[in-house]
Amino acid sequence: MKNIVDKTKGVSLLINAYAEADILEDLKLKSTFNISHNNSNRDQYFPSAVGNYRDPAPSIPTGQFQKSTLNNFLNENILSYSKSFSQHNFQLLAGFSSQEERLEISRILASNYPKNDDVITPNAAATVRTEENVEKWTLVSYFGRLNYNLDNRYLFGATIRRDGSSRFGKNNRWGLFPSASFGRRVSQEEFFPEDNIVSSLKLRTSYGQVTDKLRINW
């Protein structure tokens, strides 16, 4: 642990911002913006006295320098509406979101250093090669939700999402994912006994679909 050089320096930046607007008395619009940035550098050096995997000491020193940059952008726009009259309570929501992430990694792999371990930077190695890798994915979503309850006793909810992702199969970039639920607050009924054993009881059943027979690229 004392002889191996493995240092990482990084800078992370996270920005969150949002704006809200009351369009009508019960209708609101909220937009959020999120930016995440990470930049890191990693230096590694394995001296001759340490050895490598399946290569016991003394061995030829090796080293690596890696630089990575990660950027993630997310934007969400949500339109919400709520209304109550008599014993009926409604909540409606519709939204759109888009997200993109890009990861760039570059490496310098160095080997065949002099065994004296005097200079550990890649320029001292006899063999140097470079690697570069870029990973990127995007996601676009449309979604809606309905919540309704009658006298705070009978509860109904339904949601639907339509997602388009670069991680889905090339021949099927979009998927539709519905769900629904029904609940009943039994503890709100008149026949529910008032005691100190059970203060709240709700029965709930739900159904949802999350696959849509998509071919996913890992």
Side-chain angles (χ1 to χ4, degrees), residues 127-160:
T127 304
V128 177
R129 63 186 180 92
T130 60
E131 293 181 352
E132 291 187 4
N133 185 35
V134 176
E135 299 178 7
K136 180 181 178 181
W137 60 266
T138 56
L139 175 66
V140 176
S141 302
Y142 301 90
F143 49 89
R145 183 179 68 199
L146 165 65
N147 288 331
Y148 165 76
N149 75 75
L150 174 62
D151 196 25
N152 205 28
R153 292 186 299 168
Y154 300 96
L155 315 173
F156 174 78
T159 63
I160 188 169

Side-chain angles (χ1 to χ4, degrees), residues 56-111:
S59 64
I60 299 175
T62 61
Q64 175 178 292
F65 174 79
Q66 176 178 297
K67 181 179 181 180
S68 62
T69 302
L70 175 67
N71 291 305
N72 189 296
F73 304 95
L74 172 63
N75 170 236
E76 290 183 332
N77 303 278
I78 297 176
L79 192 65
S80 59
Y81 176 80
S82 60
K83 188 69 175 180
S84 298
F85 58 93
S86 184
Q87 297 177 334
H88 304 278
N89 302 284
F90 293 90
Q91 289 182 336
L92 296 173
L93 182 147
F96 165 79
S97 68
S98 62
Q99 187 173 11
E100 177 180 322
E101 182 175 285
R102 181 181 177 90
L103 173 63
E104 299 179 1
I105 300 177
S106 59
R107 298 184 183 93
I108 299 177
L109 305 174
S111 60

